[in-house]
Each structure stands twice: as C-alpha cells, then as structure tokens.
Amino acid sequence: MSEAPRYTDRPFSRPRKNFPRDSNGLVNFDAYLDYLPDDLEEVPIIINTELHGQWVYQHAYFQRLFYTQRGVSRFMKDRVLAQFCETPYNQIGMRAEKELELHQTFEEHVIVPPLESIPKSITDFKHIDVLGAAAIGKRVALVPEAVEHLIPGMGIPNGFVDMSPLEKAEFFDQKLNKTFQILESPIVTPQRVIAGVIKRLARVINDERLQEEARARIKKDEIYFPVRLRSPGFYYNLGVTLLKDHVSGKSEENRVELAA
C-alpha cells in the first residue's frame, strides 16, 4: 500500500509564489508592503466585517484549520502550534481587494516554520501581551473611568488588590519600561511588528510614554505593520493577574500565558 500523501503535498490550483522567509524560517512580513495602504493610519484598530467590509486581517499563517488541528482531540493537539496560529500579532490589516490580490499571487498553504522558531516567537508574543496589559493597567489605575471607554459595559473597577491608584500606576509604569527594554532585542519578532503594536496601542490608550516610544521607533524606521491587537479586555484581565501575582509574590513566568 502506498503511503497517503501529506496534506501539504496536495495539488494546488496553479503555481504561486512562495512567501519569502527570514533566516529563522518565519514569514518575512516585508512581502506585504506592496499590499498595505500608503497611510497606515487608515487601517482600523478593530475590524468589524459589517462596519468595515473593505478591511480585513490577513493571517500570515493561513490554512487555519491545519494549525488549530480541527478534528483532533484537545488532549492530542499541539498547543504550541495552535497558540502560534491564534496570536493576533501574525495578522496584518489591509484592504479586502488587496488581500484577494495577495492570495492570487502567493502560495495557498503557508508551511509551518521550523519547530524551534515557534516557541521563540510565542515568547516574544507574551512580552507584547504584557506591554498591552501594562499600558491599559496604568491608564485605568490613573483614570478608573477610562475602563468604560476601553471596555464598554464593564464599569469602574473596585480596587481588586490592596494598592493605591498611584502604587498601581507605578507598578505598571515599571512593567512598561522593563518590557520596552526587552522588546529592544526580541528573539525573532521583527521590530516593524513591535513598532506596529506600540503605534496602534498608542491610538487606543492615551499614554504619553507609549506615544513617545512609538515616535522614537518610527523615527528609526517609518515602516511598521498594522498588526491586529488583542481585545482591551484581554489586556485588562492580564493586568489584573500581574497585579495579583505581584502582591502575592508569584512568578510572572508561571502565570502569564497566551489566550487560547
């Protein structure tokens, strides 16, 4: 009996270009530059297909059902592969017609990067998550009413830990500065992705430190990728976890995980 063909060996509808790869085997996002708007500020922070039908998020590692392992028991799934696929930082906003043009040009299935690169990428993503949590946490600590703007319907928080607003703000400010330093030398994530996260977070959160960092990074390289952000609720809840762990003395590394 001949061996069954692998999924990635299936015949494609027609030959297409392969996405360029960095030396670590991850997709080189510079391939998307020809498909992005001239003004990157045009890309909405939140893309609702009903309200923003002309905009979509292009997933760098599409064939999502393969990465999320649809049909595989949750006890057998490769969680690292699923986490890598599900992260928003691998998704870039662009106009719908440009995404269609891209899919007509490039390969239909993006092969999995080298397995040693995926955990490194996820580590970078965890730091990016902490960055968002610290930025929103600081904002809400100083202006509790801001949570209603960031997360409509949630209501003003009731002081979930025994710390003053200024103590909370100081904690998050230190976390913010520490994470900025870490992301000066990410393991595998391009600076254009990190600059995109900071730039777009600065549009969501009125934080002077965040805006200053975005300006400094874009001054070095005016190109950034309008990547998808996690929801403000995700960042807020992660910030709550960081505060609670700080008070209880638990290790951040053992508690901060990517969402499923």
Side-chain angles (χ1 to χ4, degrees):
M1 179 182 295
S2 61
E3 182 181 356
R6 295 178 299 162
Y7 174 75
T8 54
D9 288 337
R10 67 182 177 83
F12 297 141
S13 58
R14 64 183 178 83
R16 302 188 185 194
K17 292 171 58 178
N18 292 326
F19 281 101
R21 304 278 181 143
D22 290 328
S23 59
N24 52 38
L26 297 171
V27 169
N28 186 324
F29 281 13
D30 284 359
Y32 291 113
L33 293 178
D34 291 338
Y35 301 90
L36 299 180
D38 292 335
D39 183 1
L40 298 175
E41 292 288 291
E42 292 182 12
V43 182
I45 295 295
I46 298 176
I47 294 180
N48 183 313
T49 53
E50 294 182 2
L51 300 177
H52 309 103
Q54 63 174 321
W55 296 97
V56 296
Y57 277 116
Q58 156 63 22
H59 202 307
Y61 299 94
F62 47 89
Q63 292 300 346
R64 181 175 178 274
L65 298 184
F66 170 79
Y67 284 95
T68 56
Q69 302 143 76
R70 182 173 178 177
V72 177
S73 166
R74 64 187 180 90
F75 300 105
M76 300 294 292
K77 284 186 178 182
D78 182 336
R79 289 299 305 144
V80 173
L81 186 61
Q83 286 180 352
F84 176 74
C85 169
E86 292 295 275
T87 178
Y89 313 125
N90 275 329
Q91 301 176 42
I92 299 178
M94 62 181 64
R95 294 187 184 277
E97 66 269 19
K98 284 295 184 180
E99 189 212 25
L100 178 60
E101 179 183 334
L102 181 144
H103 281 294
Q104 292 174 339
T105 302
F106 287 99
E107 58 194 310
E108 295 178 85
H109 178 82
V110 182
I111 304 300
V112 177
L115 296 184
E116 62 270 18
S117 293
I118 293 177
K120 295 176 182 178
S121 186
I122 290 176
T123 296
D124 286 340
F125 296 154
K126 287 183 178 181
H127 290 306
I128 293 174
D129 283 344
V130 171
L131 184 71
I136 284 185
K138 177 184 174 183
R139 181 63 176 162
V140 173
L142 293 174
V143 187
E145 298 81 6
V147 76
E148 180 63 26
H149 170 73
L150 294 167
I151 315 170
M154 180 172 179
I156 298 176
N158 295 318
F160 34 80
V161 295
D162 187 18
M163 296 173 69
S164 71
L166 288 179
E167 287 174 330
K168 293 175 185 177
E170 178 63 22
F171 166 79
F172 284 124
D173 196 49
Q174 291 178 1
K175 185 70 68 177
L176 198 63
N177 288 326
K178 177 182 177 182
T179 309
F180 278 141
Q181 292 177 0
I182 292 172
L183 292 176
E184 284 288 347
S185 302
I187 305 173
V188 293
T189 301
Q191 285 292 346
R192 288 178 171 180
V193 169
I194 293 169
V197 170
I198 297 172
K199 176 69 172 175
R200 288 166 72 75
L201 277 172
R203 286 174 57 183
V204 176
I205 310 163
N206 185 20
D207 180 82
E208 184 177 349
R209 179 70 182 86
L210 205 63
Q211 294 167 348
E212 176 187 321
E213 185 71 18
R215 287 192 295 268
R217 288 177 183 253
I218 292 174
K219 185 176 181 179
K220 296 178 183 177
D221 183 354
E222 64 181 13
I223 297 174
Y224 64 88
F225 294 112
V227 296
R228 187 173 191 168
L229 300 178
R230 293 196 187 274
S231 70
F234 174 92
Y235 294 127
Y236 175 81
N237 290 329
L238 177 55
V240 172
T241 298
L242 293 176
L243 266 183
K244 289 181 175 178
D245 287 353
H246 171 70
V247 171
S248 64
K250 293 181 180 178
S251 169
E252 174 185 313
E253 287 73 15
N254 292 332
R255 296 280 294 178
V256 179
E257 296 183 357
L258 290 169

